[in-house]
Structure formats: structure tokens, C-alpha cells
Amino acid sequence: TGEYIIFIDSDDFIDSNMIELMYHEAIQRNADIVVMTHRYENKTETESFSYRTSMQIESISGVEALNLMLSRIGWTAWGKLIKRKIAFQFHFKKGKLYEDMDYIPKVTLESSLVVVMLFGLYHYVIRDDSIMGKTQNVTKIDYIELSNSTVNYINNYNLSISEKRKLIAQLFILFYRTYCNQYSSVDKSGKKIFIKYSKKYIISNLKLIISNDVLPVKYKIGLISILFSDKLNRILYTVK
């Protein structure tokens, strides 16, 4: 019944004053979303996110915020305080992992003002036995399908060509990095289907990949190389 809702994963924890601080900024600035940056927690160390600016609190547009989420601070639902009327316009895809990739871009693009708080008060706990920590072929397929649907959503959204290209370029970069990082973790029986879905993703977005003047050339080459040779792709990915 509140004006805002927040997502917190059951495995994670937050500082005791996090919600109070976020809500204060939301009310003071009439923000549609307030984002709290996070720290990764495991048994041996705590690591904060890499994004830094000279300000600890930033107010930006929804488009700017989505670009920042995709490129630096993460597109997950957790750690975000969202106006109820915006949050309930959309729903998470049932039965899918990586469902945040479908949901968060939609609510963020509907937001006029997003506040980003660089305090790192959200603690994301890394566990080997978590759903996302396990090697599951369905995880990779869900990611590919939701990344593709998000590309299509942004491409058809009412944005300027420049804004669309910036956001879609970030999605392509994320996809390529995820492909290269997760390729070796897919078990042998799932390798063929993983490659099949990845190639389907490239083919369906080939025109957007080639025509995107924001996407660095090395990523264009890397993405297209997936269609022809995994060996070539692995060489390209390791070349700095």
C-alpha cells in the first residue's frame, strides 16, 4: 500500500539505514527510482562496485540511468526503490532466470528522474550453491532470450536514434562478455544448444550490430565471429 516498493534478495543483506536514506532522497527529489549501489560479499572478502564519481548522490534521467545500469552499476532489481505506480505497470517473466533484464529496463525508461546513491549499502552475497551460481544450461538460454527481447523493446521504444544506439550497444557488449565468460561453463551436452541460441541472437540482430556506430569495432567483430568460428572468437576475445 506504500508509495514505493523495494526488492531485496533473500540471500542478501542491507545496512540498517539504507531504506531510510533511499526513501528520504525519493521524497526530497520526487524520484521515480532510487538506486543503491552494492558490495559483493563472500567468505573471504568484501568488494564494492567499480563505479565512482565526485558526487555520492546523482540525479539523472531514466535513459541516463539505464545506460549507467547496463554499463557500470548493474541492471538487477535488487537495491532499487521504485514508485509503486511505475513498478506495477510491468511484471517479471514467470519461470525465467535473468528476468530482471526484461523488467528493469522497462521501469527505468518509464522514469523521469532516477537518483543513484553511491554508498554501497546493499550487500550481495555470493554463494556457489545459489541458483545463479550453478552451471545450468537453461540459465544461459534464458539470458540470451531476455537480452534479445530487451533489444527489441528498446529499439521500438520512443527514444531518439542516438539514445537507442547507446543502450543497445551496451546490451550487445553485455551479451558478448557473458557469452565468452560462460561458454566454458556450459556442460558438453548443452554446448550445441547454447551456441545455437547465441547464433540465433546474432542473426536476428545482425543489422543493428553492423549499423550501430556506438558499438566498438572489436565487439562487432567478436559478435559476428560467433557465427563462423568459436576458435576465432576465443582468440579475438583474449586479444587486448
Side-chain angles (χ1 to χ4, degrees), residues 177-189:
R177 289 175 174 171
T178 302
Y179 174 91
C180 293
N181 289 335
Q182 295 191 347
Y183 179 86
S184 59
S185 70
V186 179
D187 61 61
K188 195 170 183 180
S189 63

Side-chain angles (χ1 to χ4, degrees), residues 62-189:
V63 175
E64 291 172 317
L66 182 55
N67 188 61
L68 184 60
M69 291 176 194
L70 293 173
S71 62
R72 302 299 297 273
I73 63 175
W75 41 262
T76 53
W78 44 258
K80 294 175 177 63
L81 188 74
I82 306 172
K83 269 190 179 176
R84 175 180 286 269
K85 67 178 182 180
I86 294 176
F88 283 9
Q89 287 182 36
F90 307 98
H91 303 281
F92 290 98
K93 297 233 182 229
K94 291 184 179 180
K96 296 285 187 181
L97 299 176
Y98 289 103
E99 67 270 34
D100 296 7
M101 174 165 275
D102 175 79
Y103 179 79
I104 287 300
K106 291 176 180 177
V107 298
T108 306
L109 287 176
E110 291 298 317
S111 302
S112 299
L113 180 68
V114 178
V115 173
V116 181
M117 302 182 71
L118 307 175
F119 296 176
L121 301 184
Y122 187 100
H123 301 264
Y124 178 79
V125 179
I126 301 171
R127 295 192 300 112
D128 292 337
D129 61 343
S130 68
I131 292 175
M132 298 302 287
K134 295 178 181 178
T135 299
Q136 295 186 3
N137 296 326
V138 67
T139 300
K140 282 73 175 179
I141 304 308
D142 283 353
Y143 174 82
I144 294 168
E145 291 181 341
L146 292 175
S147 177
N148 190 55
S149 67
T150 302
V151 168
N152 291 331
Y153 184 84
I154 291 174
N155 194 43
N156 291 305
Y157 197 81
N158 185 26
L159 297 172
S160 69
I161 293 176
S162 174
E163 289 171 330
K164 289 181 181 181
R165 287 179 175 175
K166 286 178 182 178
L167 295 175
I168 291 174
Q170 292 300 334
L171 285 169
F172 287 153
I173 290 170
L174 272 175
F175 171 82
Y176 183 65
R177 289 175 174 171
T178 302
Y179 174 91
C180 293
N181 289 335
Q182 295 191 347
Y183 179 86
S184 59
S185 70
V186 179
D187 61 61
K188 195 170 183 180
S189 63

Side-chain angles (χ1 to χ4, degrees), residues 179 199 224-234 236:
Y179 174 91
K199 287 184 176 181
I224 295 171
S225 73
I226 293 172
L227 296 176
F228 302 103
S229 170
D230 180 64
K231 184 180 289 187
L232 172 61
N233 175 258
R234 303 301 291 179
L236 289 171

Side-chain angles (χ1 to χ4, degrees), residues 198-233:
S198 296
K199 287 184 176 181
K200 185 178 178 181
Y201 175 95
I202 302 301
I203 291 170
S204 65
N205 293 298
L206 191 57
K207 289 184 179 179
L208 290 177
I209 292 170
I210 294 172
S211 63
N212 193 312
D213 56 3
V214 179
L215 184 64
V217 173
K218 67 176 181 179
Y219 286 105
K220 289 186 181 185
I221 295 172
L223 287 163
I224 295 171
S225 73
I226 293 172
L227 296 176
F228 302 103
S229 170
D230 180 64
K231 184 180 289 187
L232 172 61
N233 175 258

